[in-house]
Each structure stands twice: as structure tokens, then as C-alpha cells.
Amino acid sequence: MSVDPKPFVEKTFKDTIVPTLQEYITIPNLSPLFDAEWKSHGHMHRAVKLLTEWVKAQQVPGLMLEVLEDAGRTPLIVMEVPGSRSDDTVLLYGHLDKQPPFEGWEDGLGPFTPVIRNGRLYGRGGADDGYAIFASITAIKALKQQGIPHARCIILIEAAEESGSPGLEEYVKALKARIGSCSLVICLDSGCGNYEQLWSTTSLRGMIGGNLTVSLIKEGIHSGDGSGVVASSFRVLRSVLSRIEDEKDGRVLVKECHVEIPEQRRKQAALAAQVLGNEVYTRMPLRPGVQPTTTDVTELILNRTWRPALSVTGAAGLPPLESAGNVLRPVTAVKLSMRLPPTCDADVAAAAMKAALEKDPPYGAKVTFDVEKKSSGWNAPLLAPWLEKSVDGASTRFFGKAACYMGEGGSIPFMGMLGQQFPQAQFLITGVLGPGSNAHGPNEFLDLPTAEKLTCCVAQVLAEHHQR
């Protein structure tokens, strides 16, 4: 039975999805980690109301929708669409919470100001991951309209993914009987190497996030009086950071943060490198003259998908330049983000990282590393022949090129959890976060043609899943 979702998908995007996404972008519904007062502010509930009202307006035959909200947890949108078989379930996943605004948006752009330029919708959350609920429902409705059978679908849209998905596991456990036997998971919160084909994510890195704080004195003192007598908290912090990262080449020194890279993933990285070439690093907003860590593209892909990497993402105790006096400051603190290989145990790595940073502090300084969040990564099971054929066929049909496979450097905590709960399930992890889309940073955009083509691909995979 032929699937032709393209006309319906394109019309739905134009008529209702893009206008609703524009309204969604205006809502500053930051994830709880970045807005402790999210509930009283009401932005998350505004976003939930906007998206659920759109879903209801689509009048998908048989669709049931509810919003769960346990005490102290962000809401979870749960949708169920009956299929031709009740004993087989496809689980589709996305999220609606957002990262902070960040600085550096181009003139005329802003995190909560939707702007369309050259087919791209700019604004925070459109690509990460507001589009997911629209793509999921539209793909299913496209099949319904053509009378094409599909399995029963459960769609989960959470509101705390950017905070590490706290509480989501409890929600899923409560829904386990309702979800039943899940044979396919489709996640629409990942990336794409380019906008020319469908990309399937084979692995996701885990992460450790926390605050490293160094203090030697109770209050600030004149630097002319204290420097040389008391060590600078910044120097001590720099010293302890060198215990976990080689500052010359960025190599992580904590052995518990490393794993053996599977040979299959090395081969897939090499194939992806052939497709992408130097775009792996030229797509980065490098300043003139700046070089990547290596020009070996395969190694760059492995660096961002299967090797640990440390980033300092925030700081405290450092006054702005214009108000910084000649003072030996009492405290320096930085926020650390350690990306972990997909099969690395986050609990073990976090304990080793904390021990390395806090052990035997120089000069007896007070050094603490407080872990805010941690999650292990995910490595996809072997792809079933039917799914590999379906994904490749969908990519060729709607993008004009065969599908490509590559790991992603980011984290989706939910995937590891699902892999454990549904060990027999197949996974299609994909998304629209391609070159320049800049999720979490300034000038984030959703490439609308890619989102439409991706939605068509999801429809075809759903249909062929039923026919397998």
C-alpha cells in the first residue's frame, strides 16, 4: 500500500504548525534547572495548553489525550492513538521545555521572538524540541487520512528533558501497563549531519553536570596586601581542573570516563566522515584563523560521539570587567559539563570525577564539586533489516538521498531508560538539529523543509512497521 503523506504534511505545516510554533517560541518556558519557580511563573503550563489545544483541534480519529502532573514534577503529555493491532505499540517521544535564552543573537533575532528567514524559523525551542509533537501527530494523521494501517501509537511529550528528565522514569513506570509491548521507539529530539538526507542516531553520550567551588578566605582582601601570601582561588581552581583534563589537548584524565569504542561505530563514523567531509568542523562558528582540534574528520566524529569531553559552561565569584577591583576574591566557582561515552556508567564516572577534584586540595583550600545531574548514555541495538530498509527508502524518497548513521554528542536520558525497559524494541532516533541550528545557543532555528521531510519519513516508517 503506497504512502503519500507529502501534500497533507506540507499543508498542515503551512496552515497550523508554523503559526502555532511561532506562538510557542514566544513562551519562556525554561526547564526547571534554569527556572526554579517554573510552576508559579506559569510558562510551562501555557506551553502545555497551547500544544494540547493544537492536538485536539486536529481531531485525529480515536486519539486520547491527558496531561499527567505529579506533585513536584513538570507535566507529561500522554497521547494514545489506536491502531490496526492492539498488541503492538510504537512509542514516539519529544519534549517541550527549553534552554535559557543565552546571549549573542543576531540583530532582529531573539530567543522568544519568532522570525522566519529563508525557510528557517528562528527562536528558542522550535527545533529543540517544539516541533516533535507536531511531527508525530501529523505523521499519524496523514496515514489515517489515507486509510493506511499502523500500530497503536503512544506519544510522550515531557517538560524537563533539558534538566535531565527527573521524574520521567516514575511516570513511565506508572504507564508501563498502558504502554504494553513496545516494538519501535521513535525519538524526534536528535540531530542531523546535514539537511540533505535522513540521519539515524546510533548512540548518545551521557553527561555529568555540577558546580566546582574553591574558597581560601572568608572575605575579599586587597590584592596588594594578600597576593603572594594567600593563593588565588582561581589558580587553585585551575590546578584542580588539570587533574581531570589535560589543558594542552583537552584529553579527559579520569579513566572511569572512557570506554572501548565498538568497531561498528568506528566504521559508521568513517562512512559519515566521507559524507560530511570538512563540514564537520567548518559548520562551527569558528573565528578567522581558528583550527579544529584535529583535521581528521573521522576522529572529530568519534571525539563528539564516543569520547569524554569537559566544558566550563558558567562561573560565579568573578565580577564584570567594568567593576572588578584590585581584590583577592574569596571564592571562584564554575559550572562543569562532562560529556560521557554512550556506554560509560555515569554514577561511577561522577564519583571518580568528584574524588579527583576534591582530594588533597592545594593549601588546604575548601574545594567542593556538587553534582547537579548525571545520566548514562545510550547505544542502539543492532538495526533490524526491515527498519534499515524502511529508513533508507524513506530518506531516498523524501530527501533524494540514502539515509546516514552517526552517533550524537548530546544526551537524551530517556533513551537509556527505554532501552532497559524495552530490550526487544527497535529505535529510530532522529531530528532536525543540523549545521548552524545551534540548539542551546544563540540563533537557534528550525529548518522547516527538513522538518516536513522528516515528518513524511516518520509516516512511511510507521506504515512499513505495520507491514513488516
Side-chain angles (χ1 to χ4, degrees):
M1 188 176 293
S2 178
V3 183
D4 186 19
K6 187 176 179 181
F8 176 77
V9 168
E10 290 180 346
K11 186 175 189 305
T12 305
F13 263 83
K14 178 182 178 181
D15 292 350
T16 68
I17 293 178
V18 172
T20 310
L21 270 171
Q22 288 176 302
E23 187 175 351
Y24 162 76
I25 285 172
T26 68
I27 304 173
N29 58 308
L30 304 188
S31 199
L33 185 63
F34 312 107
D35 182 5
E37 303 301 319
W38 66 269
K39 191 162 189 175
S40 62
H41 290 158
H43 303 309
M44 199 72 74
H45 291 103
R46 283 175 56 206
V48 169
K49 184 173 185 292
L50 174 69
L51 299 187
T52 54
E53 286 182 348
W54 179 87
V55 171
K56 292 173 184 176
Q58 304 316 298
Q59 299 181 338
V60 178
L63 181 142
M64 294 180 286
L65 182 151
E66 64 178 312
V67 178
L68 306 180
E69 187 170 352
D70 294 347
R73 294 178 185 155
T74 52
L76 176 70
I77 302 174
V78 182
M79 292 163 281
E80 181 177 347
V81 183
S84 302
R85 291 177 54 185
S86 59
D87 61 342
D88 195 8
T89 299
V90 176
L91 182 64
L92 298 99
Y93 167 85
H95 70 89
L96 59 84
D97 56 310
K98 301 176 183 178
Q99 282 277 327
F102 208 80
E103 298 178 350
W105 291 74
E106 293 179 9
D107 289 344
L109 302 179
F112 308 120
T113 304
V115 175
I116 297 178
R117 291 181 181 174
N118 300 319
R120 292 173 170 177
L121 174 58
Y122 288 83
R124 177 66 80 233
D128 185 23
D129 185 38
Y131 87 100
I133 188 171
F134 301 99
S136 299
I137 292 295
T138 303
I140 294 170
K141 188 175 179 181
L143 297 182
K144 293 281 191 188
Q145 286 211 330
Q146 296 181 53
I148 295 175
H150 59 81
R152 172 176 170 264
C153 295
I154 297 284
I155 306 170
L156 302 181
I157 305 294
E158 68 157 315
E161 190 275 341
E162 302 291 6
S163 299
S165 299
L168 183 58
E169 186 170 6
E170 296 305 313
Y171 276 132
V172 173
K173 285 180 179 177
L175 292 167
K176 189 171 184 179
R178 180 171 170 182
I179 294 173
S181 176
C182 178
S183 61
L184 176 63
V185 174
I186 299 177
C187 170
L188 301 178
D189 184 32
S190 193
C192 52
N194 56 32
Y195 300 110
E196 299 171 7
Q197 56 211 122
L198 181 64
W199 287 79
S200 180
T201 299
T202 57
S203 62
L204 296 158
R205 284 194 291 187
M207 76 161 306
I208 300 166
N211 299 323
L212 174 63
T213 304
V214 174
S215 179
L216 289 90
I217 52 180
K218 298 177 182 178
E219 59 186 17
I221 56 176
H222 193 298
S223 62
D225 184 31
S227 60
V229 177
V230 180
S232 159
S233 60
F234 184 89
R235 178 165 68 85
V236 173
L237 183 141
R238 184 175 59 183
S239 171
V240 297
L241 277 180
S242 293
R243 299 174 177 180
I244 65 171
E245 180 197 46
D246 186 328
E247 63 268 22
K248 294 184 179 68
D249 59 13
R251 182 170 52 91
V252 171
L253 303 176
V254 182
K255 63 180 179 61
E256 290 84 353
C257 292
H258 291 265
V259 303
E260 186 70 26
I261 303 175
E263 185 59 29
Q264 182 190 42
R265 299 302 184 227
R266 287 185 178 274
K267 291 179 179 177
Q268 289 173 334
L271 289 173
Q274 291 179 16
V275 172
L276 297 174
N278 292 347
E279 189 179 1
V280 168
Y281 60 87
T282 59
R283 69 185 179 91
M284 301 294 175
L286 300 174
R287 291 190 177 278
V290 174
Q291 299 295 315
T293 55
T294 176
T295 55
D296 185 322
V297 177
T298 300
E299 289 303 303
L300 286 177
I301 291 175
L302 291 173
N303 282 350
R304 68 177 289 273
T305 59
W306 275 92
R307 293 188 180 113
L310 179 69
S311 300
V312 175
T313 61
L318 295 163
L321 296 179
E322 60 271 16
S323 60
N326 293 321
V327 176
L328 195 64
R329 296 172 296 99
V331 63
T332 301
V334 292
K335 186 175 290 292
L336 302 181
S337 174
M338 177 73 82
R339 294 292 176 175
L340 300 173
T343 55
C344 179
D345 187 316
D347 291 329
V348 173
M353 186 173 165
K354 181 177 176 68
L357 290 168
E358 294 183 349
K359 183 180 179 181
D360 299 329
Y363 308 105
K366 181 175 175 56
V367 177
T368 59
F369 178 60
D370 297 317
V371 177
E372 287 186 317
K373 58 181 179 178
K374 60 181 184 295
S375 61
S376 295
W378 171 83
N379 188 29
L382 188 66
L383 207 61
W386 78 264
L387 183 55
E388 185 174 12
K389 181 180 178 182
S390 180
V391 168
D392 197 53
S395 180
T396 300
R397 181 178 180 188
F398 297 110
F399 283 90
K401 289 185 178 181
C404 203
Y405 299 85
M406 185 171 66
E408 275 297 327
S411 306
I412 308 176
F414 190 42
M415 290 304 105
M417 181 202 317
L418 284 182
Q420 293 176 351
Q421 293 207 17
F422 303 105
Q424 304 304 316
Q426 286 286 292
F427 287 79
L428 172 57
I429 314 300
T430 187
V432 296
L433 296 170
S437 57
N438 217 20
H440 300 194
N443 309 318
E444 177 185 340
F445 67 73
L446 169 65
D447 188 81
L448 294 171
T450 298
E452 293 176 7
K453 294 171 186 176
L454 180 60
T455 302
C456 292
C457 288
V458 171
Q460 181 162 320
V461 170
L462 286 174
E464 293 175 351
H465 164 264
H466 184 270
Q467 298 166 7
R468 75 194 191 282

